[in-house]
Amino acid sequence: AWRMSRRCRAMFLWLALISLGFGGLAPAMAQSSGVLREVYTGFPNGSLSSLTNNAAFPSNPTTESIEANFEAPAEWSDYYGQRMTALLVPPVTGQYVFWIATDDQGALFLSTDENPAHKTQIAWVNAWTSSREWNKEANQKSVSISLTNGRRYYIEALQSEGGGGDNLAVTWQKPGDAVPAVGAPPILGTYLVPVGLTAPIITGQPTNTSVVEGGTATFTVRLQRYLGATFQWLRNGTNIPGATNF
């Protein structure tokens, strides 16, 4: 809502949608950081096939969010699966090694570029691990992979949960770093850009309204998908301070 400072009739405000910089799917003035997390509930049994073979995967997640780093909330629920996707931005050119930890089964994929179609599986979990337990299975670790600073690489992690504990995290060894110990943090969002989000589609435009001076005028906009969109209302082409709700 926006409170009028003088009597206004038939005034309308235009909505500016900003921060659309999620991967290469929409132009952006600035990149956003983090990882897109998509959750699918009510069917997985702990095997990845129960996730990937379900009709809801990947287009119809139950919930979605943007996580700050390459890690999902642990002990979140039972009988669900999830996918986390981002563009990885290497800070330097060199050799990188990746690890994944999941409960239950999990898999990690990396593309040779920004295109998901070029991804290959580089690490996986056959059974389960504790949170940030990077060395339980040898296959949790990738081979050494050459990455170039200035390029972006599509990266994807999958996890399926039956019952009991659950977790998903991905870490790496950058050039010159030590091998991450058990409990080492995941890849930070500083090096990640969420992907899979498109530019917002407005499904309900704000309408004109009239109010008496000192009254409150409420304008509302509806989007097809709210995740990743931020808002700024304008009056006569000028931003209204603090008017960032929808």
Side-chain angles (χ1 to χ4, degrees):
W2 175 53
R3 186 174 295 278
M4 301 285 190
S5 59
R6 60 187 178 84
R7 184 178 181 85
C8 300
R9 296 187 59 82
M11 172 171 284
F12 64 90
L13 306 179
W14 293 102
L15 175 69
L17 295 169
I18 61 175
S19 297
L20 306 183
F22 298 102
L25 300 181
M29 298 303 294
Q31 292 183 340
S32 181
S33 64
V35 187
L36 175 64
R37 177 181 182 237
E38 298 167 298
V39 178
Y40 308 81
T41 61
F43 59 85
N45 59 16
S47 69
L48 282 181
S49 61
S50 70
L51 169 64
T52 58
N53 292 336
N54 192 276
F57 182 87
S59 301
N60 296 296
T62 308
T63 63
E64 55 187 1
S65 61
I66 296 176
E67 301 300 323
N69 303 310
F70 212 139
E71 184 171 42
E75 312 302 330
W76 189 77
S77 188
D78 291 328
Y79 306 108
Y80 75 95
Q82 61 184 324
R83 179 174 73 159
M84 298 186 75
T85 54
L87 293 180
L88 182 73
V89 185
V92 296
T93 297
Q95 298 296 313
Y96 290 76
V97 182
F98 297 82
W99 286 261
I100 183 171
T102 64
D103 183 352
D104 292 308
Q105 289 187 345
L108 180 63
F109 302 84
L110 183 68
S111 175
T112 54
D113 52 27
E114 298 186 19
N115 191 340
H118 299 155
K119 71 183 181 183
T120 57
Q121 182 172 288
I122 62 171
W124 63 95
V125 173
N126 282 320
W128 62 273
T129 75
S130 297
S131 178
R132 300 186 183 183
E133 184 182 13
W134 308 117
N135 59 3
K136 185 175 182 180
E137 298 177 6
N139 38 269
Q140 290 177 248
K141 176 184 177 182
S142 77
V143 299
S144 181
I145 300 171
S146 179
L147 301 179
T148 303
N149 175 246
R151 297 186 61 186
R152 305 194 300 182
Y153 301 84
Y154 175 84
I155 188 168
E156 173 183 314
L158 301 179
Q159 176 253 348
S160 182
E161 161 64 8
D166 56 288
N167 63 80
L168 164 60
V170 175
T171 194
W172 62 353
Q173 180 185 19
K174 303 189 300 297
D177 286 356
V179 174
V182 171
I187 301 175
L188 300 180
T190 307
Y191 308 108
L192 300 163
V193 179
V195 296
L197 301 183
T198 58
I201 298 174
I202 296 177
T203 58
Q205 292 280 1
T207 57
N208 295 345
T209 189
S210 299
V211 298
V212 177
E213 181 178 359
T216 297
T218 299
F219 300 88
T220 302
V221 66
R222 292 191 302 277
L223 301 183
Q224 186 177 82
R225 187 185 193 189
Y226 288 86
L227 183 67
T230 58
F231 301 82
Q232 176 63 62
W233 293 91
L234 292 84
R235 177 172 178 261
N236 296 329
T238 302
N239 289 356
I240 300 173
T244 56
N245 61 331
F246 56 86

